[in-house]
Amino acid sequence: MKPIVKYGIVGFSRNQFDKKAAREILQDEFQKLKEKHIDETIEIVSGFTNSGIPKIAYELADEFGFVTVGFSAKQALKVRSGVYPVKKKIIKGNRFGDESEDFIRYIYALIRVGGGKQSRHETELFKNLHAEKSIATIVKEFEVDWFGK
């Protein structure tokens, strides 16, 4: 069995952002992951919902043959967009944010594409948890245009 590497993907969960730019960023990053982890199984871990950055990350993960992991609170099961048909589900807590601490402990590295309060909070939690490591090697942050209010 191949070793597993777990990449957390956070960002906007609503759809009012530059999806084309976000998809290009994640496609480039996923290509690098594929080349870097030839002999490992890659898990793409995101917020389970079928919208925003999680949806883009999961769609690309499926194209690349990565394992999709939905990591969220029970609240994700009630969102209008529904949940993405991931290969593995991890539910922690009841409300969005309840899962943040467990999520950042589960992943080995993090990619943030835009995002609101929770995405940025999780990024900071992850950086603090791994303060002794070279953050540039385990965290990548990108901004994309937000079109919402």
Side-chain angles (χ1 to χ4, degrees), residues 7-68:
Y7 281 84
I9 312 296
V10 298
F12 297 119
S13 54
R14 296 188 185 193
N15 287 311
Q16 301 98 327
F17 62 94
D18 189 340
K19 289 189 220 123
K20 183 176 184 287
R23 181 172 289 276
E24 288 171 2
I25 288 165
L26 286 174
Q27 190 150 11
D28 289 347
E29 291 302 309
F30 284 14
Q31 183 60 45
K32 291 174 192 170
L33 296 183
K34 185 177 181 176
E35 292 166 7
K36 180 179 179 180
H37 300 290
I38 295 168
D39 296 322
E40 296 159 301
T41 297
I42 299 168
E43 283 189 1
I44 297 300
V45 188
S46 199
F48 200 13
T49 57
N50 197 19
S51 67
I53 293 296
K55 180 180 181 181
I56 293 170
Y58 292 141
E59 289 171 347
L60 288 169
D62 283 339
E63 288 175 25
F64 277 87
F66 300 160
V67 175
T68 52

Side-chain angles (χ1 to χ4, degrees), residues 7-144:
Y7 281 84
I9 312 296
V10 298
F12 297 119
S13 54
R14 296 188 185 193
N15 287 311
Q16 301 98 327
F17 62 94
D18 189 340
K19 289 189 220 123
K20 183 176 184 287
R23 181 172 289 276
E24 288 171 2
I25 288 165
L26 286 174
Q27 190 150 11
D28 289 347
E29 291 302 309
F30 284 14
Q31 183 60 45
K32 291 174 192 170
L33 296 183
K34 185 177 181 176
E35 292 166 7
K36 180 179 179 180
H37 300 290
I38 295 168
D39 296 322
E40 296 159 301
T41 297
I42 299 168
E43 283 189 1
I44 297 300
V45 188
S46 199
F48 200 13
T49 57
N50 197 19
S51 67
I53 293 296
K55 180 180 181 181
I56 293 170
Y58 292 141
E59 289 171 347
L60 288 169
D62 283 339
E63 288 175 25
F64 277 87
F66 300 160
V67 175
T68 52
V69 180
F71 203 120
S72 194
K74 287 180 187 170
Q75 188 176 354
L77 303 173
K78 300 174 186 168
V79 296
R80 199 174 313 138
S81 63
V83 294
Y84 193 87
V86 295
K87 293 182 178 80
K88 184 174 177 181
K89 300 170 195 163
I90 301 170
I91 303 294
K92 298 282 184 172
N94 293 311
R95 300 190 49 76
F96 290 132
D98 290 352
E99 77 285 4
S100 294
E101 294 278 345
D102 292 306
F103 168 70
I104 61 147
R105 283 183 170 76
Y106 182 81
I107 59 175
Y108 300 168
L110 181 84
I111 300 170
R112 181 183 61 76
V113 182
K117 186 177 176 183
Q118 184 173 343
S119 296
R120 293 171 194 279
H121 176 66
E122 288 171 345
T123 303
E124 290 310 308
L125 286 174
F126 186 78
K127 287 178 182 178
N128 291 339
L129 180 66
H130 297 285
E132 78 289 350
K133 297 181 183 170
S134 171
I135 295 300
T137 63
I138 59 170
V139 176
K140 293 209 174 174
E141 298 184 79
F142 303 92
E143 300 300 340
V144 292

